Amino acid sequence: KMNIRNATPADLMNMQDCNLQCLPENYQMKYYLYHGLSWPQLSFVAENLDGEIVGYVLAKMEEDPEDQPHGHITSLAVKRNYRRLGIAQKLMDQASRAMVESFHARYVSLHVRVSNRAALQLYKKTLGFRISETEPKYYADGEDAYAMKRMLREFWDKFGPKGVDFDVKPAKAKAVEP
Amino acid sequence: MSQTSSQQLPPKEQSIFKRIVKCYEQKQYKNGLKFAKQILSNPKFSEHGETLAMKGLILSYMGKKDEAWELVKRGLKNNLKSCICWHVFGLLQRAERKYDEAMKAYKCALRFESDNMQILRDLSLLQVQMRILDGYRDTRYQLLLLRPQQKASWIGYAMSFHLLGDYDGTLAILKEYCKTQKPSSQYDYEHSELLLYMVSVMLEAGQQQAALDFLNEHDANIMDRTYTKEVRARLCSELGRLSESETVMRELISVNPENRAYYAQLEELLKPSGPVERMAIYADLRKTHPRAAMPRRLPLDFLTGDEFVKELDNYLRQSFHKGVPQLFRLVEGLYDQPGKADVALRLVEGYRSSLADCGRFGESDPASSAEPPSTLVWVWYYLAQHYSKLGRPAEALRVIDLAIEHTPTLTELYSLKGQIYKDAGDIVSACEYLKEAQSLDTADRYVNSVCARYLIQAGRMEEAEQFLGRFTREGTIAGEHLADMQCMWYLTECAASYKRLGQYGQALKKCHEVERHFNEMVEDQFDFHSYCLRKMTLRAYVSMLRLEDKLKAHPYYFTAARLAIDTYLMLHRRPLDALADDSVGKNDGLSAGEAKKLRSKQRKAQKRAEQERQKAEQEQAARLAARKAHNKEHDADSDANAFKEEALDPEKLARTDKPLDQAVTFLRPLLNLCPDSVEAQCLGFDVYRARQRPLLMLRCLLKAKSIDASHPWLHACLVRFLAMTADQQGAMAAMEPPVRALIVQHLPSLFGSASVAPKAFNDAFLAKSAGDFVNTCWGLRLKYELEGPSSQSACLAALTAALSAGSAAGIERQLEACSNAYIELRSGDLFGTIDADNLNRLRTQLHDLFPYAREFFSPTDAAAAAAAVVKIQSQVLNGETSNNGDE
């Protein structure tokens, strides 16, 4: 019985704890606070019956006035003993929905290690991400990253603002793919 | 007068001074110093206070703390009427986190320049950080008067009222502000957040109707639709508009069908009369949300009888069929309800035999399709977890070995096998299987973390660090990198392990590191006080402030604090030098000579480990210094002015001459922030008992009793308190009369009578505790405490009897309590010195109950087990993974 809900500041420390157990990219508490206090709608946790955080998504908005509004997944993790329950997908869907709803995001981006086949599979097959480019030596240990994108049109149709067209770009925006 | 005149610079020097300030603001520290020198080298101005202060300030940012302080103090002495000198003095105090001193300095500065925005802002930040809320409100008022056109001025002033609990004040200020404010467009996130903040204040103030009206009025401008719906559903429900609330609740379930709270709220609205109606709600929801897991799983919590069997059967079959390996995790919660574990076992055992026979879930059910072979593996996997949870490791191992034999390459199976061993008390074998598990998936950090956790629990810290190093940054020491990353699980596990090993200094070091991280997290809020006012994320900001106020209520702090307090209490009872001759237990069966040899060996090993660590730390420091030099241009000031704490020295920590002061430091947050924890109060009692503070002991007892009157630890505290009050000549006579009177006054409410004897009180507890092993252990411990060595044989007999109750009393699930009791028994802390035969008899009894637990091995058991581990290792090496039975 996995409860999935918006992360509160009280969850941030437990997200950090989960992150340190699952992923090689770690951050100090202040970075979690920065996410939680800048974009409080965007991060989500999955908790089990005991209230243990078994998965989370830490997300933000990219504030680039030149581009369409878009979100970015800073970190996504599910503890190994809670995998294959669809938790990652549900977390990502909630984050994407919130990006559209509160920030009118048109797409969401993320980075993934080129060697991480399981994650790549999830993003590509289950979540509909596409590789937009390869960023050489993105990670501290020298590994390359795929930069990936997912368009949020389906979320827009359900949760987007009324009277705003998905395709109309903000006045300042220059033409960016796609 | 003369002071003032010498402090007045002529126009030329004044313009140079302005350039110093500018250089400081632009972080051009070297140029700033050059200009300062131009002024100070002129003998007429060599004592110019403000220039000295600025020079000091700049030096502080260049890391020259001592020189900086000297200059700033001298500058201030030369010009006590300078706003700049006081401000700089305050800034240096602030950098050392002496916030009270800094605030005093800022206030002095404001006496000479009451409308200095920068100082007012600096002051307001310290005030809110320190929660000096009325001062914060007054400063925010000054700022509002000075800058009424700025958004942050209004928001900050309104926020100060909210923090003081004055909701009407907050709302009045914000409504005033909103009159002048138009959102930049229909969709303006900051405006939307402001509106929702106002709603949240109304909710807190209990103004439901006003909040709902406000939501309706501003609906078009609010972007966070989900929060809006949550609030609307709640308001409608509270205002009796139930059908409207239900509609919104159902919309929310569509938005996120995995949020448990939504279902609870929907049930509250619909008020089903019993399980049948309740089930009907979920049957509907399953139709509308076929892919949601929650409506399929939730009814299992409330269904009973045949309905439960049917639903669970469906649920398990569907999940196994879909290939959900971690099914046990999803239904484990049901095991606390009587009978449900048995139903689950019957069903899953049924699938097992049927799958083995015909590859389907049920023979009688020809409609069910054939399952892939992997389904049987996950059924075994489930059963192994089931048996392990119920304290039946032999059966668990038999099943998991079947699974491993079938599919020898699955990480999960070895992880589980390790976990079964760990839960059965054999951490050594557990480590071997976790190593095997992680070798099958070296890219997965989670398995690596579990493996390292086991190694730490086994006391193999260096090996653990090697494993952890595979995922920490290259060129760093794994343990230190993890500490830098505030890795709490690592620090607390290490602390517990070091304490078990008797390396108290190392244990304390880890506990203090945890404490420092928590303090650091309190500091972390600083930058957000102004940031959130600009970003308008005010709801999140307020909730962050409230979190920070009780941050140390977090379980990790509790764990570290408890370890630290226990360690300090022990160091108080037996300071380290005495301990050195005592660290080998009385009942370990070693001769004095052997014990001495063992101790000297331990000491040498410790020394060697310490030397290696120091060497590694030096190398690390050198690397860091090199990197810093390399990055010098980038962060000229970030590190140099950063607050640094004194390094923690394990040796010094363990030899503190004030262990109880340290214990109190760790204790206070627990007492203040964990109002529901009876353990916190009992821990408090222990500390104050050591400090001989009877009134504080009494306070802990009264609080503990109001939380959980039946807790066995509280019983122990009560008996000890009673024994103290019974000591009329000693403890009671030493008290001040009013203290004694107060204690006597409370005895009836604590003990039911003013004159109960400690022994009678404890005997009553023991009589009540028959069949409860943990309580019986506590009762016997106190019996021995009260009655002394003459009670030893009675205590031993009672303990043996309690263990003989066996599974009727659920002993097989009390491994931890049994180990703790046995360890203390062996060390002589429980019933004093015990003769070897008695100890051995008890050990054998425990060994029969827990055949896997290393704690209860005889020397021959241990030798056999060591051989078994070698066998596991060689199998791992050879890639042999066949069934190796349950040795």
Side-chain angles (χ1 to χ4, degrees):
Chain A
K1 199 162 54 169
M2 291 308 127
N3 186 30
I4 291 179
R5 55 172 179 78
N6 186 212
T8 67
D11 293 315
L12 296 171
M13 230 182 114
N14 301 325
M15 289 160 71
Q16 182 190 35
D17 189 50
C18 179
N19 163 273
L20 278 159
Q21 289 175 54
C22 296
L23 298 177
E25 283 75 39
N26 310 126
Y27 321 97
Q28 290 186 336
M29 188 58 189
K30 201 166 176 182
Y31 195 57
Y32 291 86
L33 280 171
Y34 166 65
H35 280 75
L37 293 172
S38 302
W39 309 279
Q41 289 84 3
L42 300 190
S43 291
F44 286 82
V45 293
E47 64 180 350
N48 70 11
L49 210 56
D50 302 328
E52 177 191 347
I53 300 299
V54 303
Y56 71 87
V57 58
L58 184 71
K60 60 187 282 201
M61 291 301 294
E62 293 288 20
E63 278 156 2
D64 175 3
E66 302 283 294
D67 195 354
Q68 293 171 306
H70 64 281
H72 185 80
I73 303 299
T74 301
S75 184
L76 167 73
V78 177
K79 288 187 182 172
R80 189 187 176 102
N81 49 2
Y82 287 88
R83 296 224 183 116
R84 287 171 65 184
L85 297 172
I87 293 176
Q89 183 185 2
K90 286 166 181 168
L91 289 167
M92 287 288 273
D93 282 350
Q94 289 303 317
S96 306
R97 188 263 306 153
M99 286 170 184
V100 168
E101 204 174 79
S102 283
F103 297 96
H104 296 184
R106 305 305 207 279
Y107 69 90
V108 54
S109 63
L110 55 78
H111 290 104
V112 58
R113 284 177 181 271
V114 293
S115 69
N116 192 345
R117 294 224 308 274
L120 205 60
Q121 184 83 355
L122 170 80
Y123 296 139
K124 262 185 168 167
K125 294 268 164 66
T126 316
L127 295 171
F129 276 83
R130 294 221 183 107
I131 295 175
S132 52
E133 58 185 315
T134 307
E135 292 190 25
K137 297 199 169 54
Y138 177 84
Y139 292 99
D141 58 9
E143 189 170 341
D144 298 349
Y146 290 129
M148 303 186 84
K149 277 186 185 180
R150 177 195 195 182
M151 298 310 291
L152 296 176
R153 184 184 286 277
E154 48 174 319
F155 292 93
W156 188 273
D157 293 342
K158 267 174 102 173
F159 303 105
K162 291 186 190 101
V164 184
D165 195 346
F166 182 80
D167 291 315
V168 174
K169 284 160 191 169
K172 266 198 251 169
K174 58 176 187 182
V176 189
E177 74 94 13
Chain B
M1 285 318 282
S2 67
Q3 193 197 35
T4 318
S5 63
S6 78
Q7 294 301 320
Q8 200 69 46
L9 293 174
K12 183 184 154 224
E13 277 74 16
Q14 241 176 48
S15 75
I16 299 177
F17 182 79
K18 278 183 189 149
R19 292 166 86 170
I20 304 177
V21 176
K22 199 161 192 183
C23 286
Y24 160 71
E25 284 165 354
Q26 296 174 344
K27 299 184 177 175
Q28 297 173 357
Y29 299 135
K30 279 191 184 148
N31 286 336
L33 289 181
K34 225 184 302 169
F35 290 125
K37 195 174 171 190
Q38 279 183 25
I39 297 177
L40 295 172
S41 58
N42 181 339
K44 269 194 352 216
F45 308 119
S46 63
E47 286 302 310
H48 183 248
E50 295 181 343
T51 307
L52 290 169
M54 283 309 297
K55 184 180 174 188
L57 181 61
I58 290 173
L59 285 172
S60 80
Y61 274 88
M62 298 171 78
K64 297 181 177 168
K65 291 272 153 89
D66 294 342
E67 208 180 328
W69 268 115
E70 194 266 323
L71 285 164
V72 169
K73 280 183 187 161
R74 200 165 99 217
L76 181 60
K77 213 189 292 167
N78 290 341
N79 192 351
L80 283 163
K81 291 185 175 172
S82 156
C83 172
I84 292 180
C85 289
W86 279 109
H87 189 196
V88 168
F89 186 67
L91 288 173
L92 258 70
Q93 300 278 16
R94 178 194 178 281
E96 298 204 345
R97 295 192 181 167
K98 291 177 181 153
Y99 295 146
D100 290 328
E101 297 302 314
M103 278 190 282
K104 271 186 225 158
Y106 292 161
K107 282 180 188 163
C108 286
L110 287 167
R111 262 195 287 171
F112 303 103
E113 219 177 286
S114 62
D115 56 356
N116 184 312
M117 287 288 293
Q118 190 53 52
I119 302 177
L120 283 167
R121 246 185 247 130
D122 286 348
L123 176 62
S124 78
L125 293 178
L126 285 179
Q127 286 170 324
V128 68
Q129 176 79 12
M130 303 299 285
R131 306 293 192 268
I132 299 171
L133 296 175
D134 36 11
Y136 181 58
R137 180 194 52 207
D138 296 345
T139 310
R140 296 299 331 183
Y141 184 62
Q142 296 289 319
L143 285 163
L144 177 61
L145 290 182
L146 286 168
R147 289 281 191 285
Q149 66 279 26
Q150 274 184 9
K151 180 176 73 176
S153 302
W154 287 87
I155 306 300
Y157 186 49
M159 176 64 71
S160 69
F161 279 79
H162 184 190
L163 297 178
L164 283 161
D166 183 346
Y167 307 116
D168 291 332
T170 315
L171 292 167
I173 297 162
L174 291 176
K175 280 177 184 157
E176 195 59 36
Y177 169 70
C178 283
K179 280 183 196 160
T180 66
Q181 228 30 47
K182 282 266 145 24
S184 64
S185 69
Q186 185 193 348
Y187 299 114
D188 174 343
Y189 178 74
E190 288 181 11
H191 187 67
S192 163
E193 280 298 293
L194 177 59
L195 295 171
L196 288 176
Y197 172 61
M198 292 170 76
V199 172
S200 74
V201 175
M202 292 178 209
L203 288 178
E204 240 177 85
Q207 303 169 3
Q208 286 112 333
Q209 190 60 55
L212 190 59
D213 294 343
F214 190 86
L215 268 188
N216 289 334
E217 186 187 340
H218 296 281
D219 191 66
N221 291 111
I222 297 176
M223 300 176 78
D224 186 346
R225 304 311 302 174
T226 304
Y227 177 74
T228 309
K229 282 185 181 130
E230 287 174 357
V231 173
R232 189 182 290 279
R234 181 179 143 188
L235 287 171
C236 286
S237 150
E238 285 170 1
L239 292 167
R241 298 158 72 163
L242 300 185
S243 75
E244 199 178 337
S245 179
E246 184 191 333
T247 310
V248 183
M249 251 4 278
R250 289 188 187 276
E251 283 171 25
L252 280 168
I253 291 177
S254 299
V255 171
N256 178 6
E258 306 299 347
N259 190 324
R260 194 164 53 216
Y262 295 165
Y263 294 89
Q265 286 170 45
L266 183 66
E267 281 200 38
E268 249 173 62
L269 282 170
L270 298 175
K271 298 195 176 58
S273 65
V276 178
E277 279 187 26
R278 234 175 140 183
M279 185 61 217
I281 299 174
Y282 288 96
D284 274 353
L285 287 166
R286 288 179 190 176
K287 280 180 211 142
T288 45
H289 301 93
R291 294 182 59 199
M294 206 51 95
R296 293 202 302 121
R297 170 61 186 82
L298 272 172
L300 297 175
D301 286 345
F302 61 79
L303 290 174
T304 51
D306 291 346
E307 274 303 301
F308 172 73
V309 179
K310 199 184 97 197
E311 277 297 319
L312 183 63
D313 191 20
N314 279 337
Y315 183 77
L316 293 172
R317 283 181 196 223
Q318 276 176 24
S319 307
F320 276 128
H321 180 72
K322 273 196 343 204
V324 176
Q326 306 297 348
L327 191 47
F328 187 75
R329 304 255 164 206
L330 298 178
V331 295
E332 195 178 3
L334 299 172
Y335 280 46
D336 296 335
Q337 297 180 31
K340 289 195 171 178
D342 294 337
V343 174
L345 178 63
R346 206 175 65 228
L347 290 169
V348 183
E349 280 287 7
Y351 308 151
R352 161 157 86 158
S353 62
S354 177
L355 282 167
D357 291 347
C358 65
R360 295 165 202 272
F361 284 121
E363 279 172 279
S364 56
D365 181 10
S368 76
S369 55
E371 293 294 317
S374 62
T375 306
L376 182 56
V377 174
W378 296 124
V379 166
W380 278 323
Y381 184 70
Y382 180 104
L383 288 169
Q385 291 174 84
H386 171 100
Y387 288 123
S388 182
K389 185 182 171 80
L390 297 185
R392 293 156 68 176
E395 284 154 289
L397 288 170
R398 206 171 305 132
V399 187
I400 198 67
D401 281 335
L402 290 173
I404 289 176
E405 199 176 353
H406 183 283
T407 311
T409 50
L410 265 176
T411 303
E412 273 67 26
L413 304 181
Y414 296 92
S415 292
L416 179 57
K417 189 165 179 181
Q419 196 196 325
I420 295 168
Y421 271 109
K422 188 195 79 137
D423 291 345
D426 181 358
I427 192 70
V428 181
S429 304
C431 286
E432 295 308 318
Y433 287 108
L434 256 295
K435 282 202 233 167
E436 172 72 0
Q438 81 86 39
S439 76
L440 289 169
D441 188 354
T442 51
D444 186 81
R445 188 174 190 180
Y446 186 76
V447 190
N448 178 282
S449 301
V450 177
C451 181
R453 187 194 296 269
Y454 285 12
L455 286 167
I456 294 168
Q457 288 176 2
R460 289 144 70 175
M461 265 64 105
E462 281 176 37
E463 207 181 340
E465 215 171 330
Q466 280 171 16
F467 270 90
L468 289 165
R470 296 178 189 178
F471 285 95
T472 53
R473 191 163 298 165
E474 238 173 292
T476 62
I477 297 170
E480 289 187 10
H481 182 72
L482 290 169
D484 276 353
M485 287 294 128
Q486 307 166 322
C487 186
M488 301 291 184
W489 78 257
Y490 172 74
L491 295 171
T492 48
E493 289 283 0
C494 282
S497 195
Y498 280 126
K499 179 167 175 279
R500 267 195 302 275
L501 292 172
Q503 299 186 26
Y504 301 115
Q506 292 289 358
L508 289 172
K509 181 173 180 220
K510 298 291 182 209
C511 294
H512 280 275
E513 280 183 51
V514 171
E515 192 208 11
R516 284 184 175 185
H517 287 321
F518 272 89
N519 293 341
E520 204 54 45
M521 288 175 188
V522 172
E523 292 300 320
D524 281 345
Q525 18 169 3
F526 217 109
D527 293 348
F528 294 106
H529 297 311
S530 46
Y531 177 81
C532 290
L533 295 190
R534 281 184 277 119
K535 270 267 180 187
M536 278 297 187
T537 46
L538 305 170
R539 287 177 296 147
Y541 174 64
V542 171
S543 115
M544 183 270 288
L545 291 183
R546 290 175 180 163
L547 165 76
E548 293 279 5
D549 286 340
K550 52 185 175 63
L551 196 66
K552 286 184 175 171
H554 195 281
Y556 276 132
Y557 181 80
F558 200 108
T559 305
R562 184 163 175 186
L563 285 165
I565 291 169
D566 284 343
T567 308
Y568 278 123
L569 282 177
M570 202 188 51
L571 291 171
H572 165 71
R573 282 195 304 271
R574 296 180 241 178
L576 209 53
D577 293 318
L579 207 64
D581 297 317
D582 210 32
S583 66
V584 178
K586 287 179 200 151
N587 299 329
D588 277 347
L590 296 177
S591 73
E594 284 169 327
K596 200 174 160 194
K597 238 185 261 169
L598 182 65
R599 275 196 302 275
S600 117
K601 214 169 125 190
Q602 282 171 345
R603 259 200 300 271
K604 271 183 201 153
Q606 211 169 327
K607 208 168 161 188
R608 207 178 321 119
E610 190 51 38
Q611 279 168 349
E612 273 166 27
R613 177 161 282 276
Q614 273 173 8
K615 197 175 144 217
E617 270 168 21
Q618 279 162 6
E619 282 167 12
Q620 163 90 348
R623 261 199 304 272
L624 273 180
R627 201 179 321 146
K628 218 171 272 171
H630 178 72
N631 295 337
K632 214 171 178 180
E633 296 90 80
H634 300 298
D635 49 5
D637 70 342
S638 66
D639 265 353
N641 194 34
F643 179 75
K644 283 183 199 74
E645 288 200 88
E646 202 189 331
L648 291 164
D649 176 0
E651 188 69 5
K652 258 198 213 154
L653 289 171
R655 291 180 189 277
T656 172
D657 52 359
K658 293 195 174 78
L660 294 181
D661 287 359
Q662 296 280 7
V664 168
T665 311
F666 277 101
L667 173 69
R668 271 204 198 104
L670 303 187
L671 293 182
N672 294 333
L673 301 176
C674 307
D676 300 326
S677 165
V678 66
E679 280 98 347
Q681 299 299 332
C682 293
L683 210 50
F685 177 90
D686 286 355
V687 172
Y688 291 130
R689 181 166 173 246
R691 294 205 111 173
Q692 298 176 311
R693 303 288 296 275
L695 284 187
L696 292 171
M697 290 159 75
L698 176 64
R699 195 175 68 181
C700 288
L701 286 181
L702 292 171
K703 278 204 184 153
K705 207 165 176 203
S706 71
I707 300 167
D708 177 4
S710 65
H711 199 281
W713 190 359
L714 170 60
H715 168 73
C717 298
L718 284 169
V719 171
R720 286 160 184 165
F721 193 71
L722 200 54
M724 179 188 83
T725 61
D727 181 11
Q728 295 291 345
Q729 265 74 51
M732 287 301 266
M735 287 174 204
E736 298 285 330
V739 173
R740 190 165 52 224
L742 203 60
I743 284 174
V744 170
Q745 186 197 323
H746 276 95
L747 290 179
S749 69
L750 283 173
F751 300 99
S753 131
S755 60
V756 56
K759 182 176 179 317
F761 186 73
N762 189 48
D763 286 346
F765 177 81
L766 270 170
K768 231 174 21 195
S769 302
D772 182 327
F773 181 73
V774 174
N775 285 14
T776 302
C777 274
W778 276 100
L780 292 174
R781 168 196 300 273
L782 289 151
K783 184 179 167 70
Y784 187 84
E785 257 181 57
L786 293 171
E787 298 171 32
S790 66
S791 67
Q792 191 191 65
S793 60
C795 286
L796 277 173
L799 191 63
T800 308
L803 288 172
S804 310
S807 58
I811 288 287
E812 69 274 10
R813 289 162 86 168
Q814 298 288 359
L815 172 58
E816 198 188 340
C818 289
S819 305
N820 291 341
Y822 180 68
I823 290 168
E824 287 192 285
L825 200 65
R826 198 175 49 196
S827 68
D829 289 331
L830 196 59
F831 301 152
T833 311
I834 295 169
D835 84 85
D837 283 348
N838 277 328
L839 191 67
N840 199 38
R841 203 168 306 128
L842 217 93
R843 185 195 56 68
T844 314
Q845 193 183 4
L846 285 162
H847 179 64
D848 291 343
L849 282 168
F850 302 101
Y852 296 92
R854 299 230 152 202
E855 209 61 64
F856 311 135
F857 280 4
S858 69
T860 42
D861 295 334
V869 168
V870 172
K871 197 171 148 206
I872 303 172
Q873 284 166 339
S874 73
Q875 280 168 349
V876 171
L877 273 179
N878 302 329
E880 263 180 52
T881 38
S882 63
N883 180 1
N884 47 28
D886 1 322
E887 41 297 72

